[in-house]
Amino acid sequence: MQPNGLALPLLLSAMCLAAPLAQANPQEHQFEYRVRSAPAAELHMAAPTLPDLSGYTKEAVLAKIPQGSKGKVVVRRMLRQDALKDFTGGNERLREWIQRQQGMPMAIFIEGGLVTAQDIAKALPDSQFAEQEDGVYLARLPIVVAEGAALHVGKDTRELRLSQERGAFLVNDGLMFITDTRVTAWREADNGPATMRDEGKEFRPFLVSWGGSELYIASSVLTSLGYDNSKSYGVSITQYTPSMHERLKRDEPTGWLIDSEFVDHWYGFYCYEAQNVVIKGNTYRDNIVYGIDPHDRSHGLIIAENTVFGTKKKHGIIISREVNDSWIINNESYDNKLSGVVIDRSSERNLIAYNRVHGNHADGITLYESGDNLLWGNQVMRNQRHGIRIRNSENIRLYENLAALNQLTGIYGHIKDLSDTDRDLDLDPFDTKISMIIVGGTLAGNGSSPINIDSPLSVELYRVKMLAPRKSSGIQLAGILGEKQDEILDLMVRQRQPVLIDPIEPEQMTN
């Protein structure tokens, strides 16, 4: 993962520019710090084992489609349906469907077995589900796949259009398969996709897959789904709301989204309390708020080999609030409005490895209040703020990463008191503590400093190459490292030993 030519001789050459070494301005710290050698053996780590992705294919998805009993298509009122309560509860949301359907809101229900788009077209009049041209269907009512039923929108469907004017959307309470096709939120007035307008306030069709369900999307294109309303974000895999879950007791939902394209969604992907979701080989392009956004207590996720770019408001990939034990590997995330990859709000034991994160408008990789994570072999380049930023997070291990040509710092670690923000401290607690281990890798040509860390519990450095400083004064560490730069570089560069920087306890200072 390291570019050719970034070797120790160049490092020593660059180091010559730093004599005499320029120091960062000292800041006040809670403790005095010391620099000492650390045992090298404890820092050795084998490259992480990655999950086997070979089984996540379109053929494997098609093999999951249940064969046998044919389902039935019925039209019923939307009221008093568990799968629709989130969208009809309260007068305001119900009014949306009354206005769009110009009467008592109705929905299409798939029940009892497997149904295709062709089956729906045969069962219903054009006013509810129309074949506009060969293989192109327009749904003018919501479609609900009931528990125990399955819907397959496959290659015989060139495009499934969901009417924005009539309030159509997709709800999965059973099994849903979308393969070799297109699903488009459709604006009938324009005879085209329901592209985002009105800052997300306007209803747009969406897809939601509830607790106990399985959603499989392969080799397809989904366009212009979702708006700024609960569970209506775009493509979502989500447990029911707590009160509904308490009554229904559904398993955590799951699914695969593979080798597909997601464009102009409010959120390209969202999940909540989901398990073992696979997001592999997709393109997330020009989505509004986030590209990929797994949320609360989802776990066992594989986010691999995706390309995420052009997110308009926030981050390319973000996992947030106790999204644990997951893999973010071999993705490319670039040209997003804020960060390329974010690990947020107590998301722990995740592997972020071999990603290419470049040209984002804020940081490359950002960790907020999320300890016990491993970053391995990432390339983080040309981002407009820091390469890798770590806040209020302990036991962060950074191995063999490249952070180069970022506008500010290659690796930036800091603490921040969030008490005076709008953060819900019961839901999202935090500690102003930070510690990290940085082993191997290269920090080159970053704008202000290769490394800036302040007020850490501990920092360990070993075999880190620091090259090509932009400043004529040479390499300048910052924060507490800047104050101890002579000692750090002597141990790490000249003696080639691991370096431990940690605070001196008050009782040790008096002895």
Side-chain angles (χ1 to χ4, degrees):
M1 298 294 291
Q2 296 171 356
N4 292 334
L6 298 185
L8 184 62
L10 282 179
L11 170 61
L12 295 176
S13 175
M15 286 294 301
C16 292
L17 295 175
L21 295 171
Q23 304 292 333
N25 291 328
Q27 300 179 25
E28 291 187 6
H29 305 290
Q30 186 175 359
F31 301 106
E32 290 293 325
Y33 283 83
R34 62 185 172 184
V35 176
R36 51 187 169 144
S37 178
E42 296 179 6
L43 298 177
H44 288 302
M45 179 184 295
T49 300
L50 304 183
D52 181 4
L53 304 179
S54 62
Y56 301 114
T57 64
K58 181 180 67 177
E59 291 71 26
V61 167
L62 294 174
K64 290 177 177 289
I65 299 174
Q67 304 301 317
S69 61
K70 197 74 173 175
K72 62 180 181 178
V73 179
V74 297
V75 175
R76 293 200 180 94
R77 290 184 176 184
M78 292 175 65
L79 294 176
R80 292 187 293 278
Q81 300 289 338
D82 285 340
L84 296 174
K85 281 189 176 179
D86 246 47
F87 314 119
T88 58
N91 293 332
E92 292 303 318
R93 297 211 81 175
L94 183 60
R95 183 179 295 117
E96 179 88 57
W97 317 121
I98 292 173
Q99 292 174 343
R100 291 183 181 279
Q101 295 189 21
Q102 299 179 352
M104 178 59 66
M106 311 293 284
I108 301 165
F109 286 81
I110 311 300
E111 300 177 342
L114 177 64
V115 166
T116 67
Q118 290 70 31
D119 296 328
I120 301 174
K122 290 176 183 176
L124 300 178
D126 286 356
S127 60
Q128 295 175 335
F129 194 92
E131 185 171 14
Q132 295 187 305
E133 53 186 276
D134 186 29
V136 177
Y137 299 92
L138 176 67
R140 290 193 168 104
L141 294 178
I143 299 174
V144 179
V145 182
E147 186 179 11
L151 172 65
H152 181 204
V153 183
K155 63 182 179 180
D156 292 336
T157 300
R158 291 196 291 124
E159 185 172 22
L160 173 60
R161 297 169 175 173
L162 306 173
S163 171
Q164 180 185 38
E165 286 90 340
R166 295 295 302 276
F169 55 91
L170 297 173
V171 173
N172 179 31
D173 217 22
L175 295 172
M176 183 180 291
F177 300 87
I178 298 171
T179 63
D180 295 299
T181 190
R182 299 181 69 95
V183 176
T184 307
W186 197 256
R187 187 172 291 134
E188 293 191 65
D190 296 345
N191 195 33
T195 52
M196 177 57 62
R197 61 188 186 187
D198 196 27
E199 288 296 310
K201 297 181 178 66
E202 178 185 48
F203 165 84
R204 293 200 306 175
F206 56 89
L207 188 166
V208 62
S209 194
W210 285 123
S213 70
E214 299 177 28
L215 171 66
Y216 297 95
I217 299 174
S219 302
S220 296
V221 179
L222 288 82
T223 304
S224 298
L225 298 176
Y227 69 119
D228 188 10
N229 218 327
S230 176
K231 311 297 186 182
S232 308
Y233 303 129
V235 176
S236 302
I237 297 177
T238 174
Q239 184 56 274
Y240 276 102
T241 56
S243 60
M244 290 278 286
H245 178 50
E246 178 66 24
R247 179 167 62 84
L248 298 175
K249 301 188 185 308
R250 295 283 176 82
D251 291 338
E252 295 168 303
T254 190
W256 300 358
L257 287 71
I258 60 175
D259 303 323
S260 295
E261 188 171 357
F262 301 85
V263 184
D264 184 44
H265 300 329
W266 185 245
Y267 294 3
F269 173 77
Y270 172 83
C271 68
Y272 172 91
E273 294 186 351
Q275 64 171 339
N276 303 331
V277 176
V278 177
I279 307 165
K280 171 186 169 287
N282 304 296
T283 297
Y284 290 85
R285 168 170 65 85
D286 298 331
N287 295 291
I288 310 305
V289 181
Y290 303 112
I292 299 173
D293 180 28
H295 232 276
D296 301 46
R297 295 170 294 283
S298 296
H299 59 96
L301 312 180
I302 296 175
I303 303 171
E305 301 177 0
N306 302 284
T307 301
V308 184
F309 65 96
T311 304
K312 299 180 186 301
K313 289 183 178 289
K314 293 189 178 181
H315 314 297
I317 301 171
I318 175 172
I319 63 173
S320 183
R321 193 173 291 133
E322 297 178 50
V323 178
N324 299 333
D325 303 305
S326 297
W327 294 266
I328 302 175
I329 55 175
N330 282 309
N331 301 284
E332 182 175 18
S333 184
Y334 66 96
D335 192 27
N336 298 292
K337 181 66 174 179
L338 295 179
S339 295
V341 176
V342 177
I343 314 300
D344 184 38
R345 298 178 191 241
S346 303
S347 295
E348 300 177 345
R349 301 183 302 279
N350 299 291
L351 172 64
I352 304 95
Y354 306 118
N355 299 287
R356 296 162 301 285
V357 185
H358 58 95
N360 295 286
H361 299 191
D363 304 322
I365 299 176
T366 307
L367 283 80
Y368 289 146
E369 292 77 53
S370 294
D372 297 307
N373 290 294
L374 172 61
L375 281 67
W376 187 291
N378 300 284
Q379 294 183 351
V380 187
M381 302 178 66
R382 299 184 185 277
N383 299 286
Q384 292 185 19
R385 291 188 61 79
H386 307 287
I388 299 171
R389 178 183 179 187
I390 301 164
R391 184 183 76 189
N392 296 342
S393 302
E394 295 182 67
N395 191 30
I396 303 302
R397 294 168 294 164
L398 301 100
Y399 277 66
E400 308 300 343
N401 298 285
L402 167 66
L405 304 174
N406 300 287
Q407 288 297 310
L408 296 179
T409 310
I411 297 173
Y412 176 49
H414 67 116
I415 61 172
K416 183 176 181 180
D417 186 353
L418 305 174
S419 302
D420 293 333
T421 67
D422 59 1
R423 188 184 187 96
D424 184 333
L425 298 181
D426 292 327
L427 187 61
D428 296 310
F430 72 96
D431 285 321
T432 52
K433 296 179 180 179
I434 186 168
S435 65
M436 67 183 72
I437 297 171
I438 306 172
V439 175
T442 300
L443 309 174
N446 297 291
S448 59
S449 175
I451 310 176
N452 181 345
I453 300 172
D454 231 331
S455 301
L457 296 179
S458 69
V459 180
E460 292 186 71
L461 305 172
Y462 185 41
R463 297 191 294 101
V464 183
K465 297 178 182 176
M466 293 181 286
L467 309 174
R470 291 194 194 178
K471 297 179 179 179
S472 60
S473 54
I475 291 173
Q476 294 185 349
L477 304 180
I480 188 60
L481 305 187
E483 298 175 20
K484 304 292 184 179
Q485 179 163 315
D486 284 333
E487 299 169 74
I488 292 169
L489 295 181
D490 179 69
L491 275 173
M492 187 172 67
V493 177
R494 297 184 177 93
Q495 300 185 43
R496 301 188 184 184
Q497 294 184 30
V499 180
L500 170 63
I501 303 101
D502 63 352
I504 302 172
E505 299 296 335
E507 59 271 18
Q508 294 175 310
M509 295 176 63
T510 58
N511 291 338

